[in-house]
Amino acid sequence: MTHAEKQAAAMWQDVMPMSGIVENRMIECVDALEKRGYDVSEARQLIPRGWEAYNSGDYWALQKVIAMMWEALRRAPKMVNDDHLPDTWDELKRSWTAVAGREICSVDAGNQAYRDKVYGAWYGKCIGCALGDPSAGWPSAKVRKERGRVTDYLQKPDTRNDDINYQIIVLHCIEEHGPGFTSRDLGYEWVQHLELDQTYTAERRALENLHRGLIPPYSARENNPFSDWIGAQMRGEVHGLIAPGRPELAAELAYKDAIISHVKEGVYGEVFNSVMVSLAFVMGDVSEIISRALGYVPRNSEFASVVRSTVAKCKERGRWEDVLDWIDQTYGDLHWIHTFPNAAIVVMSLLLGGGDFSESVSIAASCGWDCDCSTGQVGATVGALIGERAIPARWKESIAGRLDTDVIGFASIELGRLTDWTCDVARRIARG
């Protein structure tokens, strides 16, 4: 097969190496845009032709079908009006209902408590991603049947994960451009430091657009059906780490990051994630952190409704298995990478985990869906809350203090050095 044929075949059907989940990417594009309220009937009519070409091995014909589907998706009419939702930064700020903040966490060079929390967040992110990766894409019923409650690594942990790649680039971008970096600056850092083949869904579409000179926010909007999937939410922790106790700043940094690849609901996911981590430096109760972080999300958004409903179900049902049943029933028509069901799993795991690291990541990893992303987010948030020294040694031993990445120029980095780098960037931001 030629390179072009391989690309067409993989775009139609591909298998995730870690979890074995089969992905039908062009069909997912159609489904994703439909869920966003577009009439995709023209593109859907082309799917049988795509299967015919794929099954017969005629990948040149398949390329043609894929191109025709993209054309149909580009001009699909929108049937649902979401103009009421904030889109720009100023609109988003005006939607906030958050109450006044607390003390800003000190990030001076001698603050070992701050460093321990940053170290805990990076360890927690690596642990969570490695713990959830083997079950990513699995339905919750399949995880329950074949793996039960996930209380330990299912295989030798691998810290290489795209969730973390983007966060490394944020730190590098601030070194290059300063705290006032723009979305355009960060987008071009993606171009310089990421391979297309190591990006997925919304980020893949955005990076292709950036290569063509479409800068944010246009990079998120052109041929990108996945702009309310989890890709922005999964990469938000770093903004909370470098703006500890400054949720407004964390939200602003996260917004500049998110609009490279996402719009509206997808953007709100990253803002919420970053604010929770920022608040974990100055607040000690996960329920309070969730409640306060929700004030930085538009109240009339679907994302806010997901969070509120999940909090209510946790109080009503109490057991994570029962809340997961509700999540499956309520959001089961969405793709496993969509923001909403995974945000619900994150909130549930944090609330019912009660700040206990092992309990929290175990719940998230036992849920299926996009559980490397959700467990990574839970691990990072609780890690920032309790600090590295409070994370049980059994989780850290296999990670061995090292992060491997697919970021060009940053193939491997010690977590201690990554922590110091993060603290240095935070101090630079604090100086203004």
Side-chain angles (χ1 to χ4, degrees):
M1 291 173 65
T2 66
H3 178 67
E5 288 178 303
K6 290 178 182 178
Q7 280 190 316
M11 191 63 191
W12 195 259
Q13 188 168 91
D14 201 10
V15 179
M16 295 183 63
M18 194 71 74
S19 61
I21 294 296
V22 176
E23 292 288 281
N24 302 111
R25 304 206 181 275
M26 276 310 301
I27 298 173
E28 290 167 1
C29 289
V30 176
D31 293 341
L33 202 62
E34 186 174 54
K35 291 297 182 185
R36 287 176 51 199
Y38 288 80
D39 179 359
V40 298
S41 54
E42 183 181 348
R44 196 171 291 285
Q45 289 171 4
L46 291 164
I47 292 175
R49 288 179 60 180
W51 277 119
E52 182 180 355
Y54 179 82
N55 290 331
S56 65
D58 190 349
Y59 300 122
W60 292 104
L62 180 61
Q63 283 193 111
K64 178 181 177 181
V65 174
I66 289 173
M68 293 170 68
M69 291 178 70
W70 276 122
E71 178 199 2
L73 292 175
R74 285 191 68 200
R75 50 191 175 84
K78 193 167 188 178
M79 311 302 289
V80 175
N81 187 345
D82 65 353
D83 291 344
H84 62 287
L85 291 175
D87 197 9
T88 68
W89 172 242
D90 286 339
E91 290 171 347
L92 182 60
K93 281 203 301 182
R94 287 196 295 270
S95 76
W96 289 351
T97 59
V99 297
R102 297 189 177 196
E103 293 283 335
I104 295 174
C105 175
S106 169
V107 295
D108 62 82
N111 188 343
Q112 290 303 307
Y114 166 66
R115 184 187 185 280
D116 185 57
K117 283 175 170 282
V118 174
Y119 199 12
W122 284 125
Y123 246 121
K125 184 71 172 178
C126 292
I127 292 165
C129 288
L131 184 64
D133 217 6
S135 303
W138 285 31
S140 60
K142 180 178 173 69
V143 179
R144 288 180 181 180
K145 180 180 179 181
E146 299 188 21
R147 290 176 171 165
R149 176 74 180 267
V150 178
T151 58
D152 203 350
Y153 296 114
L154 298 168
Q155 58 190 34
K156 183 179 179 180
D158 182 358
T159 56
R160 194 182 305 274
N161 192 288
D162 65 304
D163 298 28
I164 306 176
N165 292 342
Y166 302 94
Q167 307 195 45
I168 301 300
I169 297 175
V170 167
L171 297 176
H172 175 68
C173 180
I174 295 174
E175 279 195 339
E176 292 288 302
H177 302 281
F181 74 93
T182 65
S183 300
R184 178 179 180 272
D185 295 330
L186 184 55
Y188 280 132
E189 292 299 325
W190 283 25
V191 172
Q192 184 175 356
H193 294 283
L194 289 174
E195 290 273 9
L196 270 172
D197 289 346
Q198 299 299 330
T199 60
Y200 308 95
T201 64
E203 288 69 37
R204 177 66 171 266
R205 304 274 79 79
L207 186 54
E208 289 174 340
N209 288 334
L210 288 163
H211 275 280
R212 296 196 297 269
L214 283 171
I215 63 171
Y218 308 106
S219 53
R221 299 166 191 267
E222 179 70 16
N223 276 13
N224 191 353
F226 308 116
S227 59
D228 55 4
W229 285 18
I230 200 174
Q233 181 177 306
M234 75 182 188
R235 63 182 194 257
E237 295 92 1
V238 67
H239 304 292
L241 298 181
I242 58 180
R246 302 175 70 183
E248 294 85 356
L249 177 59
E252 181 180 4
L253 297 173
Y255 176 86
K256 291 196 287 186
D257 183 342
I259 63 170
I260 297 172
S261 55
H262 287 68
V263 299
K264 297 188 178 181
E265 300 283 7
V267 171
Y268 308 154
E270 180 163 357
V271 169
F272 181 74
N273 182 6
S274 68
V275 169
M276 283 204 300
V277 172
S278 176
L279 293 173
F281 286 88
V282 293
M283 300 176 71
D285 181 83
V286 288
S287 63
E288 291 182 6
I289 288 171
I290 291 168
S291 177
R292 174 105 178 272
L294 192 56
Y296 293 87
V297 175
R299 184 172 180 80
N300 62 339
S301 66
E302 184 66 21
F303 186 92
S305 176
V306 169
V307 176
R308 288 194 299 267
S309 298
T310 305
V311 171
K313 288 298 175 183
C314 287
K315 292 178 180 178
E316 174 190 320
R317 301 196 176 188
R319 296 177 67 251
W320 70 266
E321 296 92 340
D322 295 336
V323 180
L324 180 59
D325 287 340
W326 169 80
I327 293 171
D328 289 340
Q329 293 162 8
T330 306
Y331 304 108
D333 63 327
L334 297 176
H335 193 276
W336 61 270
I337 303 177
H338 198 284
T339 295
F340 296 161
N342 291 290
I345 287 169
V346 168
V347 170
M348 173 190 71
S349 301
L350 290 172
L351 283 175
L352 300 185
D356 180 274
F357 185 86
S358 297
E359 181 71 7
S360 300
V361 296
S362 175
I363 291 173
S366 303
C367 290
W369 294 85
D370 198 353
C371 58
D372 65 319
C373 294
S374 57
T375 312
Q377 186 181 343
V378 169
T381 306
V382 180
L385 183 69
I386 66 174
E388 183 270 336
R389 284 173 290 184
I391 297 176
R394 72 179 184 89
W395 293 113
K396 295 181 287 188
E397 289 168 355
S398 299
I399 301 296
R402 193 182 80 171
L403 170 65
D404 295 319
T405 85
D406 294 309
V407 180
I408 296 167
F410 301 93
S412 181
I413 184 170
E414 298 296 321
L415 289 183
R417 187 162 69 87
L418 176 58
T419 297
D420 291 335
W421 185 18
T422 306
C423 294
D424 288 342
V425 170
R427 284 190 284 271
R428 180 174 179 180
I429 290 174
R431 290 194 298 268

